[in-house]
Amino acid sequence: MHDLVIVGAGPAGLTAAIYAVRYGLDVLLIDTLPVGGQISSAKLVENYPGFQDISGIELMERFVDHAKDMGVSMEAASVSEVVVTDDGFETVTDSDRITSKAVIIATGAAPKLLGVPGESEFTGRGVSYCATCDGPFFSGKEIAVIGGGESAITDALVLSDIAKQVTVIHRRDTLRASQILQERAFSRENIDFIWNTVVEEISGEQLVDGVNLKNVVTGENSRIPIDGVFIYVGVVPNTDFVDVKKNDQGFIMANEAMETSVPGLFAAGDCRKAPLYQVITAAADGAVAAYSTRKYVRGQ
Ligand code: NAP
């Protein structure tokens, strides 16, 4: 029996593992490959202190190297369930049932679907959720970015370096993204904005060739021709596999010690309800979760 199983090797899980090993706990870190979490697909991270600009993948490679140097054991597997037992937990994977005294859930979140006709049909044929992954396919083309948050504007900027024109379509008339990103986007000549507008359908033949829009203020319908649609309308937490108190969006409810409604089960990072979702807050959650786990396992 391990002292601790950590599910998810993004910033939260990797930090928890580093701290837990340093506390002398016997730790197993489980993730589906590749490790690193959502931030791995960020072309540029500019707000992780100590690194003025670093790619998401390089930052996470450093986290992984650090964890390996500390002697963290890692296993590649998909976890389908975490079961409470008489003496701890069983973490059920596709090939194993791993026992531990405590578990930290650090499974992060995944892009939310827009939920309009054409979205699933054209995913991979013009619809994407990741500019770093799919942007290069749209060199010199016209792209729509849906959403007004940090992810939408970050990736609109990435795409504007590749595409001929980027049109941000947002359901309100002000962006949610940080001021510095807004200013950069407003000053880019090949980024324009369609405000107060939602996408009602993504259409095309073999590939996407346009989006049907509705202005939510005037009710007016329109269609714009487009080669690609990048969707950033928020995230959904990867928490279906664990039976613990969550909010109505599925984010795990944990207190400031990262304790959940189940004793011995902790949550850290983007999978838990939190005021801010950043690499640094996920890493901080991981450190706190490891500290709380140590106290729990030692019976303090
Ligand atoms: P988000 O902040 O939830 O923004 C989602 C955007 O999509 C909002 O502008 C929202 O509009 C819009 N939206 C939601 N549902 C929609 C729908 N059905 N139709 C049309 N538009 C819809 O999500 P995110 O940008 O993915 O960011 C998630 C979290 O990660 C945030 O906490 C963010 O700060 C963080 N993040 C940080 C960084 C960074 O620091 N480098 C980068 C990326 C993400 P409204 O504004 O009207 O609600």
Side-chain angles (χ1 to χ4, degrees), residues 85-160:
T85 61
D86 289 343
D87 52 358
F89 298 89
E90 263 183 15
T91 299
V92 183
T93 72
D94 18 18
S95 59
D96 210 350
R97 297 178 83 91
I98 301 159
T99 55
S100 62
K101 294 175 190 162
V103 172
I104 296 175
I105 307 295
T107 40
K112 194 192 240 175
L113 302 185
L114 186 57
V116 297
E119 181 179 16
S120 56
E121 294 90 314
F122 289 108
T123 295
R125 293 191 290 131
V127 171
S128 171
Y129 304 84
C130 174
T132 305
C133 323
D134 299 327
F137 297 120
F138 295 88
S139 172
K141 307 229 174 202
E142 305 208 356
I143 293 175
V145 165
I146 318 301
E150 202 78 0
S151 301
I153 305 308
T154 299
D155 276 13
L157 287 161
V158 169
L159 290 165
S160 72

Side-chain angles (χ1 to χ4, degrees), residues 270-289:
D270 286 10
C271 66
R272 84 172 183 103
K273 171 85 180 74
L276 184 63
Y277 295 103
Q278 300 284 301
V279 177
I280 193 159
T281 52
D285 280 8
V288 174

